[in-house]
Amino acid sequence: MALNLDFSFLTSDVIKANLVSTFEYSVQLTAVAAVAGTLLGTLIALMRLSSQPALQRFARVYVDLLRSVPLVMVILWFFLLIPSGFYSTIAGSFGDAHRPELAAVITFTFFEAAYYSEIMRAGIQSVPRGQVFAGYAVGMTYAQCMRLVVLPQAFRNMLPVLLTQTVVLFQDTSLVYAIGASDWLKGFQTVGNLFNRPAEMYLLAAAGYFVISFSLSMLVRRLQAKIQIIR
Amino acid sequence: MIDIKNISKWYGSFQVLTDCTTTINKGDVVVVCGPSGSGKSTLIKTVNALEPIQQGDIVVDGTSITDKKTNLPKLRSRVGMVFQHFELFPHLSITDNLTLAQIKVLGRTKDESLKRGLKMLDRVGLSAHKDKFPGQLSGGQQQRVAIARALSMDPIVMLFDEPTSALDPEMVGEVLDVMVGLAHEGMTMMCVTHEMGFAKRVSNKVIFMDAGKIVEDCSSADFFGKPEERSPRAKDFLSKILQH
């Protein structure tokens, strides 16, 4: 089988027009979903570990539900369920023009929160109970004890896992093709269609995602050795 | 200063404390001893409500810990506690360990809390280590920092929960020295410990527990000096720990 690969059509103008801003969007989507997802996930983890049955139940249903539905479905359903007026309300005409892109940010934040919450839950449980006692014993409230004593340690213990999850998230952002958001993969696709060279472009896309994800994974591995708390 | 009134506590259906009553006055140094699993650690943790009780009441300096209106964090901030496993905050430097609660709980300024914290660190003889992290110190040093952390809050009473049990034998002395110094200064102290030498020399009152009950509650002079007046269980305990 001859693929007859030909990359001659790929000029810097073509790259600039299709692969730069789309790449920026994919990175932004990953970054926002990672940060907001971790914050929301931490909140859900705290609910899950709280002594209030109602909060526990809510957190469990939230996590189980989102982790049991394929991501593409979640992306589609969020897009279909968010009323179109919502985008212009939060971001004016910009919001109206970028509905799929904004929907993706919202979806990924809520979706990833389910995964991050399980990581943070493990992190919180990895902090010895004596630390909580020590926090309370010096007069901290529950909130202070969590914020100043437990969560910093939980976060540090789990940082490698959180970052690994974020690498997975970066790869998963390519699924926003389902709602037609202009992400990096869409950029490759557009060029491929434009010059009728889909094989070349999908090959490049795969290489691009691989290089970035693999180097990030390597960085995480290095970081892991560095940040261990000495006990 | 501390009134423990008929308290009982259960873990599920298992009763860990049964109708315990005792009083600790200002300036008392009380040693709580007894065999493992007798409820000593649980009892001391009920004093600052780290372990909730299901029956009875504890009044600390006029404040009931079971009263719904009691601000427990505020009460705890006035009761120093030292743990078996030190429980310094491993992600913070020694200085931050000493100042964190002063700033966040007592609302002291950074300078004020630093001054107070370093003074207490000096008191336990560890000023040179102020910029290190807990993991870089030995067990004995960590425990002394933990005592300094508790003292920085200017507590009205200090609770010690087996402060030397997790230490190498050669480090026990340095921690006990600090505790003896505190006792001589008139600090009110409640100590769960197996250090009978400390109990004999420093404490003025001994509480002996067995199976969740306070079996003996008497002056240490009587506890060690008049073994014939002790209950059979305490006699047995004393004969086992004092014969070596």
Side-chain angles (χ1 to χ4, degrees), chain A:
Chain A
M1 189 186 81
L3 270 174
N4 286 328
L5 295 179
D6 175 9
F7 290 96
S8 58
F9 62 92
L10 209 59
T11 62
S12 66
D13 283 347
V14 173
I15 294 175
K16 230 179 266 171
N18 295 288
L19 297 180
V20 175
S21 67
T22 53
F23 176 69
E24 282 169 4
Y25 169 70
S26 286
V27 171
Q28 280 167 6
L29 174 57
T30 307
V32 173
V35 174
T38 303
L39 290 175
L40 183 60
T42 303
L43 207 66
I44 293 166
L46 289 173
M47 287 184 190
R48 180 82 187 252
L49 295 171
S50 86
S51 50
Q52 302 283 328
L55 292 179
Q56 276 177 27
R57 206 169 316 132
F58 171 81
R60 205 167 53 230
V61 169
Y62 183 96
V63 171
D64 286 347
L65 188 71
L66 281 174
R67 295 210 312 173
S68 311
V69 178
L71 177 51
V72 182
M73 300 286 135
V74 180
I75 293 171
L76 278 169
W77 275 109
F78 265 71
F79 189 54
L80 293 172
L81 288 178
I82 299 172
S84 52
F86 175 77
Y87 305 100
S88 47
T89 316
I90 58 161
S93 59
F94 173 87
D96 220 27
H98 294 87
R99 270 192 227 171
E101 287 76 16
L102 286 172
V105 171
I106 295 165
T107 308
F108 271 95
T109 298
F110 282 97
F111 184 79
E112 290 299 320
Y115 287 84
Y116 286 124
S117 87
E118 285 297 278
I119 298 172
M120 285 310 289
R121 182 162 75 109
I124 292 167
Q125 286 175 324
S126 76
V127 178
R129 191 157 165 67
Q131 287 286 303
V132 181
F133 276 153
Y136 284 151
V138 288
M140 289 182 191
T141 59
Y142 170 81
Q144 284 175 323
C145 190
M146 280 297 150
R147 191 162 49 82
L148 303 167
V149 177
V150 176
L151 289 179
Q153 294 183 60
F155 187 76
R156 201 180 303 196
N157 290 349
M158 287 297 132
L159 192 57
V161 191
L162 289 168
L163 289 174
T164 303
Q165 177 64 30
T166 306
V167 175
V168 176
L169 161 64
F170 175 68
Q171 294 161 25
D172 284 352
T173 58
S174 59
L175 288 173
V176 297
Y177 79 85
I179 52 172
S182 305
D183 77 322
W184 205 26
L185 181 64
K186 179 80 173 282
F188 286 101
Q189 237 170 2
T190 310
V191 179
N193 292 341
L194 211 59
F195 296 92
N196 202 20
R197 287 281 173 194
E200 281 84 349
M201 290 317 287
Y202 280 128
L203 201 61
L204 276 183
Y209 278 95
F210 172 81
V211 167
I212 287 170
S213 302
F214 187 71
S215 17
L216 284 175
S217 298
M218 289 296 110
L219 274 177
V220 172
R221 220 174 278 180
R222 281 193 157 184
L223 189 76
Q224 197 161 9
K226 263 194 181 168
I227 53 145
Q228 302 282 13
I229 305 178
I230 337 163
R231 281 200 175 272

Side-chain angles (χ1 to χ4, degrees), chain B residues 219-233:
Chain B
S219 75
S220 32
D222 281 355
F223 189 77
F224 295 106
K226 298 178 182 163
E228 66 281 359
E229 287 175 21
R230 305 280 67 84
S231 65
R233 189 65 190 87

Side-chain angles (χ1 to χ4, degrees), chain A residues 128-142 144 147-150 152-153 156 229-231, chain B residues 45 48 50-51 73-74 76-77 79 81 83 87-92 100-101 104-105 135-136 142 149 153:
Chain A
R129 191 157 165 67
Q131 287 286 303
V132 181
F133 276 153
Y136 284 151
V138 288
M140 289 182 191
T141 59
Y142 170 81
Q144 284 175 323
R147 191 162 49 82
L148 303 167
V149 177
V150 176
Q153 294 183 60
R156 201 180 303 196
I229 305 178
I230 337 163
R231 281 200 175 272
Chain B
K45 284 199 183 88
N48 58 354
L50 286 182
E51 292 282 4
K74 192 169 175 199
R76 291 185 187 125
S77 71
V79 177
M81 183 147 198
F83 298 87
E87 306 299 351
L88 293 176
F89 305 131
H91 59 300
L92 300 177
L100 180 70
K104 301 288 180 182
V105 174
Q136 297 170 287
Q142 288 192 52
R149 175 176 70 179
M153 303 290 286

